[in-house]
Amino acid sequence: MAAIHSKDTKPEMIVRRGLWQRGFRYRLNHKRLPGHPDLVLRKYRTCIFVNGCFWHGHKCSLTPSPSPKGEGRMDLESSECCKIPKTNREFWVAKIRRNKERDKEEQKKLAAMGWHCITVWECELTPKKREETLESIAFTLNHIWLRDHGAKAVPYPKLDEENMQMPMAAEKEI
């Protein structure tokens, strides 16, 4: 596991390039925030976590597992994007479960500090889903900015029903 790095991963680079092309500017791995988010957008008060499906147990469900001692232990069920290894299963289940718990705790701390959190999963960045995911992130960031900055919707003027055009402004007299 020493060869596994947490920075500059392929999924993270895809998100970074996509956001940069859409005009969003960010900081990487902010050390002062809980969980060291992958991307921090201060203008939007938002943290983006780019998670690997395996390491963070995407779509894995907890199920009670029978144990010989009668303990009520929980086991993780594999999903289509996260396969739990069959060898040394107890270690991997405990590790992934702890990662999921830590992710929730960190996001609660960030929310208490007034930060928004977006989690992007590795399986959402496949070539088929990539553009849709990046557009969704951009839409969410813009929605957050509008909501936080109190932008009010400006009502459109009513259309002139006969001509289906905007009403003309009164001409100024010379």
Side-chain angles (χ1 to χ4, degrees):
M1 283 193 297
I4 305 298
H5 298 284
S6 63
K7 297 179 184 176
D8 301 331
T9 61
K10 186 176 179 180
E12 183 182 338
M13 296 302 289
I14 291 170
V15 173
R16 286 165 48 179
R17 285 188 196 112
L19 290 178
W20 192 269
Q21 289 173 350
R22 287 166 175 78
F24 294 99
R25 301 301 179 246
Y26 48 81
R27 297 284 176 239
L28 300 176
N29 307 101
H30 199 288
K31 292 183 181 1
R32 291 186 180 181
L33 291 175
H36 307 287
D38 296 315
L39 304 171
V40 176
L41 294 95
R42 289 183 59 200
K43 176 180 177 180
Y44 302 88
R45 200 133 175 93
T46 301
C47 299
I48 298 178
F49 293 93
V50 183
N51 290 346
C53 293
F54 173 73
W55 297 105
H56 296 270
H58 186 220
K59 295 183 182 176
C60 288
S61 58
L62 287 170
T63 57
S65 65
S67 64
K69 297 179 183 178
E71 299 170 358
R73 294 189 332 184
M74 300 298 279
D75 194 18
L76 280 176
E77 289 288 323
S78 294
S79 66
E80 64 271 3
C81 61
C82 175
K83 305 286 187 222
I84 308 296
K86 293 182 180 176
T87 57
N88 204 5
R89 187 168 177 85
E90 289 181 17
F91 168 78
W92 288 111
V93 167
K95 180 168 187 57
I96 293 169
R97 187 179 331 121
R98 177 63 192 134
N99 287 348
K100 289 176 75 136
E101 291 170 2
R102 187 183 63 239
D103 291 344
K104 286 180 186 177
E105 291 169 10
E106 290 166 352
Q107 289 188 6
K108 285 180 184 177
K109 289 177 187 176
L110 286 166
M113 294 169 64
W115 288 85
H116 303 280
C117 294
I118 297 174
T119 302
V120 181
W121 293 98
E122 179 181 16
C123 64
E124 295 171 345
L125 297 171
T126 58
K128 292 180 182 178
K129 300 178 185 177
R130 184 174 298 161
E131 283 304 314
E132 181 182 340
T133 301
L134 294 172
E135 286 297 323
S136 175
I137 294 169
F139 177 83
T140 303
L141 289 171
N142 288 324
H143 181 74
I144 287 170
W145 192 86
L146 288 173
R147 191 179 66 213
D148 285 354
H149 289 83
K152 297 178 184 174
V154 178
Y156 288 105
K158 292 184 180 180
L159 293 176
D160 181 11
E161 292 179 13
E162 293 176 13
N163 300 328
M164 294 303 289
Q165 296 177 354
M166 298 287 284
M168 298 295 289
E171 294 182 19
K172 294 182 182 177
E173 294 182 21
I174 299 178

